[in-house]
Amino acid sequence: MSGLQKQMQNSESKTLMSRKSFCGSNSNMNQLFRPEFGSTQSLANHERLWHLMQNYLPSDKKSIQEQIVNHVEFSLARTRFDFHQVHCYQAVSHSIRDRLIESFNDTQLYFHEQDCKRVYYLSIEFLIGRCLQNAVGNLGLQDAYTEAVQELGYKLEDLYDEEVDPALGNGGLGRLAACFLDSLATLNYPAFGYGIRYSYGIFKQLIQNGQQVEAPDYWLEKGNPWEIERLDVQYPVKFYGRVVKRHENGQEKSLWEAGETIVARAYDTPIPGYMTFNTIALRLWRSVPANEFDFTSFNEGDYFKSLEAREKAEYITSVLYPNDNSYAGKELRLKQEYLLVSATLQDIMRRFKKVRRDWSILPEKVAIQLNDTHPSLAILELLRILIDQEGMTHANAWEIISKTFGYTNHTVLPEALEKWGVDLLGSLLPRHLEIIYYVNMIFLNKVSAKFPGDAHKLSALSLIEEGPVKKIRMANLSIIGSHMVNGVARIHSELLKTDLFKDHFEMRPKKFINITNGVAPRRWLRSCNQQLAKLYDEWLGTDEWVLNMDMLKTLEDKCEDQLALIQFMKVKRNNKLRLIKWVRQYCNVEVNADTLFDIQVKRIHEYKRQFMNILYVIYRYLLLKDTPTEGRKKFAPRTVFFGGKAAPGYLNAKRIIKLINAVAEVVNHDLDTNHFLKVVFLPNYNVSSAEIIIPASDISQHISTAGTEASGTSNMKFVMNGGIILGTWDGANIEIAEEVGLDNIFIFGARVEEVGKLIDNMKNSDPFQYIQKPLWNVIQAIRSGIFGHDHHGLLDSITNRNDFYLVGHDFYHYAQAQIKIDQLYQDKIQWAKKAFYNSIRSGKFSSDRTIHEYAQKIWNIKPIVVPQPTANKQDRFKIQK
């Protein structure tokens, strides 16, 4: 394992010794003394305890084995005769977690001693993926653990597969949040992630008779060795009730008397930085009852009532995204969002109040980032705390609020902006509704002063959407309550200013900025594509590129090195073979590694246009059938992979999955053409399957209608792993094209400035004129029943003047791009050159760059590096603040 010196950007000229330096197996490195920077006031009473905790756990092979065995016997209560692979995984995970706890405790203590400003990242989702492989890699312990575990009779790689993906998210929003935590820890920024500890994920996707079936996703069935239950960190959360007005010293005071109170309990998952001792945490809240048990009802024989309060409380955090088609479902979602912000703000305020100081200092010590609008109630909650509990005036409290929050928007679709009914919010959170009306009144007065007589501005900027059912616009609240608002790709940020939030931009133009998304290269290249990472290590002579992806650009001369390209494509083939093994196990389909792997994996939605993809597959199949055997050589043999979940109530998305599987059933069993074309639907797409799927891609499809995808991050992951993109002029595709060059990406379709006019034309056109003949042939084939029946509802979505995602318009240009792909794939060297160039030009899309921009443009925070351990007992006291 090569040495790696962590090079921090903007680290105030500090040279850091990497964690890797301490992970050797030499005996003289076993005793590492933890740095001392905390209070020693209680040392006299706890001197023995202090001395026993002065060392870090040793990381030599024998010590690691002893720690694993200790956990087998004492944490898991297993014996030498009743010990299996899953128990080895759990014991290994506990031993790694022990090390993370050491670093986490030291990190938090040092942050407190430095009294530094921290960022608190609030998200309703955190799709963190499996922890073991990521933690072992970030700690620099992969070689040590591989050897230690092997001598115990197991393979570390097999243990990775024992871990269940934490079902704490559903898509890009949650995965982005997880990448951000990785970068925050790696770059040594003082940070905390806050979310919800769901007992069940959105659902486990099964495919039965070609259709999606939702099954419970109880990811905690075998426990979670990575989390730390914090019985000492729990807060009351109130719902319902009434607001009582009192007058004190001539001023009106509001007191919220709750009708129901539950408790939010913290569960921490340590997040290690890469080759640094800084370790932060993701703190997740679980809802539990304020009173465990109604003993009176139990004694009276009413056993169900005795447990009613407990069950009612635990429902709140039971399921990710409960179905909100009913009032009860909407109320449950709102309860989830308020529990997240209430518990989180109590935790933040507790930390802030450890030091006696004026409230005006809060924005200098606290930055709160809202990952979309789900946590936007935090603005109202902090305002309530400052006014009702701390006695501040509204003006002073709002000044603090407006300097503390930042808001990241993740959509360009107006219908996707979150809104809550006034009646619902007023019933559940009566005091917050009062605050909303007061904030709205003051804000609209400012709007009137800047735009006198402009009724449109007043209506558009109001927090209240008028109508038969009055609603609270949570995006408007997030904007006016934040000092900065950012989009997540350049085109997205421009659309926020010129379209979605045009009126807000005209009110406060300096508030809006762009910060393009990124993904963590530790997980999405070094961990999931280890052979390619080792190749880069070898060619660069260092592994420092993991922290500075732009170093890969220096390998550009390899594009002309045929031997290097052969090595690169050998890695690609090995990754394809790994995916083939996975497909054989989970899909029971045989796939040829020599075919072009064409992959589209993401949440199923009409705007993402998996429908257009499968329509082209049918078109290609019909072309193959109509082409004589000799003429088929122009078609590159292709395997088309789809993956992703459809929301349970989203009928058309589920219809798309059904059509994909119906086409696969026909195409895969056609002996005449199946060596040229196969279709595979990859079930239950999640982070761990993505780590196998993404490195295997030749082509990945990111074909959303222009102006509908905010950014996308899977496109970044595919490019990073040497895949070529087939995409539209949308989201981050545009910036990827700028980085890799238009010659190395396949871009097609309408541009965002054309979409509006094209939709108008579509509404006023005869479908037979709007939809060109090749696509009509496909539609007729589907209607004929070749692929089964019951697809008419899906076809109606593009044939009845309601093709709002422009499948009909873009299909021809899409098919032309596919011809170019076929032609290029015939030239293996040219293909390899473009694929390799994509990977080495992907540095911009590291989440490290993204986080540096957030830190500088929004949070105003600096890296705080935890002092390194030392082998000299005396050196640990030489800490300078």
Side-chain angles (χ1 to χ4, degrees), residues 284-348:
L284 302 174
W285 301 109
R286 176 192 173 199
S287 56
V288 297
N291 298 305
E292 283 287 325
F293 189 65
D294 184 351
F295 199 67
T296 302
S297 296
F298 184 84
N299 282 341
E300 291 174 353
D302 195 342
Y303 305 126
F304 290 107
K305 186 179 180 182
S306 69
L307 295 172
E308 182 180 0
R310 180 182 187 87
E311 292 176 350
K312 192 175 181 181
E314 291 181 344
Y315 283 156
I316 296 174
T317 57
S318 60
V319 179
L320 168 66
Y321 292 144
N323 193 318
D324 61 353
N325 289 335
S326 66
Y327 181 90
K330 288 182 174 66
E331 184 181 64
L332 184 55
R333 280 207 187 190
L334 188 56
K335 279 187 172 182
Q336 286 183 344
E337 294 184 7
Y338 181 65
L339 176 138
L340 167 61
V341 304
S342 174
T344 297
L345 282 170
Q346 290 181 73
D347 204 40
I348 294 171

Side-chain angles (χ1 to χ4, degrees), residues 538-757:
E538 177 186 332
W539 286 344
L540 289 170
T542 178
D543 55 6
E544 291 183 20
W545 60 268
V546 181
L547 296 168
N548 180 8
M549 288 281 287
D550 283 339
M551 289 179 66
L552 296 179
K553 292 179 182 178
T554 64
L555 297 175
E556 190 170 333
D557 60 330
K558 297 286 185 183
C559 290
E560 306 303 326
D561 183 340
Q562 190 164 325
L563 178 60
L565 294 176
I566 290 172
Q567 289 179 281
F568 176 80
M569 292 309 291
K570 182 179 179 181
V571 169
K572 177 66 70 175
R573 182 178 177 81
N574 289 340
N575 287 326
K576 292 169 81 169
L577 292 172
R578 182 174 60 158
L579 176 56
I580 287 172
K581 181 180 178 182
W582 190 95
V583 168
R584 184 180 297 124
Q585 179 179 354
Y586 292 102
C587 307
N588 195 30
V589 178
E590 289 297 326
V591 174
N592 184 350
D594 292 325
T595 62
L596 184 153
F597 278 23
D598 178 346
I599 300 176
Q600 187 181 21
V601 283
K602 53 188 74 215
R603 180 168 52 93
I604 308 294
H605 197 289
E606 286 169 284
Y607 86 81
K608 294 177 183 289
R609 300 203 292 191
Q610 290 94 345
F611 186 30
M612 185 167 71
N613 188 349
I614 194 61
L615 289 175
Y616 172 76
V617 170
I618 297 171
Y619 173 68
R620 189 179 183 91
Y621 173 65
L622 297 176
L623 279 179
L624 281 167
K625 297 294 289 183
D626 289 342
T627 303
T629 303
E630 187 64 25
R632 292 176 182 174
K633 292 180 180 179
K634 65 182 179 182
F635 297 98
R638 188 180 299 210
T639 304
V640 184
F641 298 91
F642 294 84
K645 296 179 180 180
Y650 192 174
L651 183 58
N652 264 5
K654 298 177 89 167
R655 286 169 170 168
I656 291 169
I657 292 175
K658 183 177 180 181
L659 179 59
I660 291 169
N661 284 294
V663 172
E665 183 68 20
V666 173
V667 170
N668 295 353
H669 291 91
D670 191 328
L671 299 180
D672 180 41
T673 58
N674 64 7
H675 51 292
F676 280 98
L677 181 64
K678 280 194 174 182
V679 179
V680 181
F681 189 88
L682 307 166
N684 203 42
Y685 181 61
N686 57 22
V687 175
S688 57
S689 61
E691 292 173 4
I692 296 173
I693 295 165
I694 290 172
S697 77
D698 292 308
I699 281 287
S700 65
Q701 299 205 29
H702 311 274
I703 55 176
S704 54
T705 311
T708 59
E709 186 76 85
S711 169
T713 52
S714 64
N715 44 10
M716 303 171 185
K717 297 164 192 168
F718 279 102
V719 167
M720 201 171 277
N721 282 273
I724 300 176
I725 281 182
L726 170 59
T728 49
W729 298 98
D730 198 28
N733 289 351
I734 297 170
E735 291 167 73
I736 291 173
E738 291 173 354
E739 292 297 307
V740 305
L742 286 173
D743 290 340
N744 298 300
I745 187 172
F746 296 95
I747 296 286
F748 72 94
R751 295 179 183 255
V752 66
E753 60 269 20
E754 302 172 316
V755 168
K757 185 176 180 180

Side-chain angles (χ1 to χ4, degrees), residues 383 386-387 392-403 438 442 446:
L383 201 55
L386 295 179
I387 295 172
M392 295 183 65
T393 65
H394 179 277
N396 290 340
W398 188 255
E399 184 177 358
I400 292 172
I401 294 284
S402 60
K403 295 177 181 178
Y438 190 68
I442 293 175
K446 294 178 180 178

Side-chain angles (χ1 to χ4, degrees), residues 754-774:
E754 302 172 316
V755 168
K757 185 176 180 180
L758 289 170
I759 290 176
D760 289 339
N761 291 341
M762 176 271 300
K763 291 178 182 177
N764 297 316
S765 299
D766 187 309
F768 289 96
Q769 296 175 344
Y770 172 73
I771 297 177
Q772 297 180 351
K773 184 178 179 180

